[in-house]
Amino acid sequence: MKIFKRVYILMMLIIFCSQIVWAAPAKPVLQKVRYSQSAEQVRIVFDVNELPEYTAQLSANQDQIIIDFTNTDSSKLPMLQLNDPIVNNVQVTQVQPDKQRVVITLKKPIVSYKLFTLSNPKRIVIDIVKEFDRKYEEQIGTGLKYTSLYRSTKAGPISAYVVDLAPGSNYVIKPVLSNNAIVDLEKVQAMAERNKGIAAVNASYFALNGEIIGLLKMNGEIVSSPTIGRTALGILPDGKILFDQIDYKGTVTLPDGATIAITGVNHERGQDDLILYNNYYDNMTGTNEYGTDYIVSQDVITAIVHGNAVIPPGAVVLSAHGSNEKALSSLKVGDAIKINQTLGSVWDKTIYAIGAGPRLIKNNSVFLTSKIEEFPPDIVVGRAPRTAVGVTKDGHVLLVVVDGRQQHSMGVTLLELALLMQEFGAVDAMNLDGGGSSEMVVKGKIMNKPSDGRERSVGDALIIVPKD
């Protein structure tokens, strides 16, 4: 009898354990529906015990969002009536034994929506973006206005920031160099503070060592030369703004009359290069011993060294390698040479110039020069944070930043940026460096939200400062 009881108990335990092992997991159940509202969106939250599989789509008339949950247990939830100008109600129905349908009825077509899940606690969330267009304006100085724009679009919301400098104001616009030198990088906020700028944006493309990629001219002197003719902004002594595609041409005339082309200004010396270094670069050239550096003061060779030459105040250094080193090999201390640099007859008159690109607007028409100026896809393609500069018909200068790659702002394409600049009144405009570099500072405060989540150190900035 005892053996029988033991066998019976053992069999019951086996059956009980097998039921535990093979029991099907609990089906997802929609437990509760709730919502919250803001001026920009309606958020509807579905509380669940487990995350179900789901699909979502807009109805043909775009007046309903339909979400189907599969493999779910039935649950009776009352209709949720919303007091909202966009969303009317939310209703959950059982359309099949293991399928529930959520129908969100809209009062008018929406701009966009975003559906996602959260795991702790388990929730399904839908954000319904409303149509909105909000603008804030502030006079930050005589003839100087700041505007922020927050707008819904079909792609999602965008945040834009504009500084408008009126002609004849008490301020001027000019580029400034990070740390007052090519070498190394600096944050826009620090550059604005150091130069007493009331407003500033990031400007040129740059390399990680601080070198400017493109044209830069400051106080009448060429600080960086472009390797390809790309769009630049020029500032004449009277404050007039120019836009054009600019090429650099530099030459050195030797004592025997031979002319040698300068291949770059304040750039790292490469194979067969002849690079001109001036005081905007650093205290020394940083070149290696595989070339020759000629120190030139008032068109006379004052010293010749092999690598990392000192750049004396008021002097320049011509650093030659390979074929160009051979072409200059006959030069000696005391020789007179002639250095000539030009951006063209009109642009030689500019006191400031800054290059980036592509062009956005020319003569009040959208004019994208991405292909002409050979820009790579990472700059040209898709929505991104962007920075731009433009000028209106009556001479107002516009500095513009658009946030991107963030929930509050999707960013813009180059075409969308051009159209936005037109909306702000620009008749000529160009793109500046963007992405994580895009930043605007006004009165010492960062106005936008850089997409890196923090300020990025950059090579230079465009700043607005009081007139001297």
Side-chain angles (χ1 to χ4, degrees):
M1 190 68 178
K2 289 182 179 179
I3 294 174
F4 177 79
K5 286 183 177 179
R6 289 174 182 171
V7 172
Y8 177 78
I9 292 170
L10 181 60
M11 290 178 64
M12 294 301 292
L13 286 172
I14 291 171
I15 294 170
F16 178 74
C17 290
S18 66
Q19 287 178 337
I20 293 174
V21 171
W22 295 104
K27 284 187 177 181
V29 177
L30 297 187
Q31 299 170 323
K32 186 179 180 181
V33 183
R34 49 197 172 88
Y35 74 97
S36 61
Q37 298 164 287
S38 70
E40 293 80 31
Q41 68 178 25
V42 174
R43 169 166 288 186
I44 301 171
V45 179
F46 303 93
D47 293 323
V48 294
N49 63 329
E50 296 293 337
L51 293 174
E53 295 180 4
Y54 62 86
T55 60
Q57 63 179 343
L58 275 173
S59 64
N61 295 328
Q62 295 192 337
D63 58 355
Q64 290 181 329
I65 303 173
I66 302 167
I67 309 170
D68 284 332
F69 297 100
T70 57
N71 196 29
T72 55
D73 272 344
S74 61
S75 58
K76 292 184 178 180
L77 293 173
M79 179 187 290
L80 185 64
Q81 198 74 38
L82 277 68
N83 181 21
D84 186 85
I86 295 293
V87 181
N88 187 11
N89 58 58
V90 181
Q91 188 168 17
V92 181
T93 59
Q94 195 79 26
V95 291
Q96 292 177 13
D98 62 348
K99 183 176 181 179
Q100 288 176 295
R101 174 166 290 173
V102 175
V103 177
I104 303 170
T105 303
L106 309 170
K107 295 179 180 177
K108 59 181 179 178
I110 62 169
V111 173
S112 64
Y113 69 89
K114 180 181 179 183
L115 187 62
F116 57 96
T117 61
L118 300 173
S119 58
N120 190 22
K122 295 180 175 68
R123 288 172 288 174
I124 300 165
V125 182
I126 182 168
D127 288 337
I128 301 171
V129 180
K130 302 178 182 180
E131 294 181 358
F132 54 90
D133 196 338
R134 299 207 310 269
K135 186 181 289 187
Y136 167 80
E137 294 183 350
E138 178 186 352
Q139 203 71 31
I140 56 176
T142 304
L144 194 60
K145 182 175 69 175
Y146 165 77
T147 302
S148 64
L149 176 70
Y150 189 34
R151 170 181 295 172
S152 61
T153 72
K154 290 184 178 180
I158 62 165
S159 292
Y161 314 84
V162 186
V163 171
D164 182 321
L165 173 63
S169 72
N170 297 324
Y171 302 92
V172 294
I173 185 170
K174 66 178 184 179
V176 295
L177 201 56
S178 62
N179 306 295
N180 289 327
I182 287 288
V183 174
D184 211 354
L185 303 171
E186 189 179 12
K187 294 178 173 64
V188 174
Q189 190 176 37
M191 280 188 266
E193 181 179 357
R194 182 165 49 79
N195 291 277
K196 297 180 173 55
I198 192 169
V201 297
N202 66 294
S204 300
Y205 302 107
F206 59 93
L208 293 180
N209 65 355
E211 290 180 12
I212 302 301
I213 301 174
L215 175 65
L216 182 61
K217 185 177 182 181
M218 298 175 61
N219 300 311
E221 187 170 3
I222 295 171
V223 178
S224 176
S225 59
T227 56
I228 183 173
R230 284 180 169 168
T231 299
L233 171 147
I235 305 172
L236 292 169
D238 63 359
K240 184 181 177 181
I241 302 294
L242 306 175
F243 288 95
D244 210 344
Q245 283 179 241
I246 299 302
D247 285 306
Y248 165 86
K249 184 178 180 182
T251 59
V252 179
T253 304
L254 305 182
D256 63 0
T259 299
I260 310 297
I262 296 171
T263 58
V265 178
N266 289 333
H267 292 177
E268 183 179 357
R269 189 193 67 206
Q271 184 176 356
D272 295 322
D273 268 342
L274 177 58
I275 303 296
L276 184 148
Y277 294 98
N278 58 36
N279 294 130
Y280 281 103
Y281 187 75
D282 199 8
N283 295 325
M284 305 182 77
T285 62
T287 53
N288 59 37
E289 69 273 20
Y290 302 110
T292 303
D293 287 358
Y294 299 86
I295 301 171
V296 183
S297 180
Q298 297 181 344
D299 293 337
V300 175
I301 305 291
T302 59
I304 302 173
V305 298
H306 291 283
N308 203 19
V310 172
I311 310 173
V316 300
V317 175
L318 291 170
S319 184
H321 176 272
S323 59
N324 274 314
E325 182 181 21
K326 185 177 180 180
L328 270 62
S329 60
S330 64
L331 288 176
K332 58 186 182 297
V333 173
D335 281 350
I337 62 171
K338 182 66 177 176
I339 297 173
N340 183 63
Q341 300 180 86
T342 181
L343 303 175
S345 58
V346 174
W347 282 72
D348 285 344
K349 298 174 185 177
T350 58
I351 52 173
Y352 297 106
I354 193 161
R359 185 81 170 260
L360 299 172
I361 303 172
K362 181 178 181 180
N363 298 330
N364 202 29
S365 296
V366 172
F367 187 71
L368 297 177
T369 55
S370 308
K371 290 185 178 180
I372 298 171
E373 298 180 21
E374 300 178 17
F375 278 98
D378 63 318
I379 292 173
V380 174
V381 177
R383 290 186 177 83
R386 305 280 186 181
T387 305
V389 58
V391 64
T392 68
K393 184 179 180 179
D394 52 1
H396 288 243
V397 179
L398 305 174
L399 298 179
V400 176
V401 167
V402 182
D403 280 340
R405 300 173 186 157
Q406 299 174 79
Q407 188 171 352
H408 78 279
S409 187
M410 301 293 290
V412 289
T413 65
L414 286 174
L415 175 58
E416 289 167 343
L417 181 62
L419 295 173
L420 196 61
M421 294 298 290
Q422 275 193 324
E423 180 184 334
F424 295 148
V427 294
D428 282 292
M430 65 179 282
N431 182 58
L432 298 171
D433 188 19
S437 300
S438 285
E439 182 180 349
M440 177 177 286
V441 173
V442 173
K443 291 184 174 180
K445 180 182 177 183
I446 303 170
M447 307 308 291
N448 71 309
K449 294 181 179 178
S451 63
D452 286 351
R454 62 186 184 279
E455 274 193 285
R456 178 183 288 183
S457 295
V458 297
D460 61 11
L462 267 174
I463 71 169
I464 296 173
V465 295
K467 288 181 178 177
D468 294 332

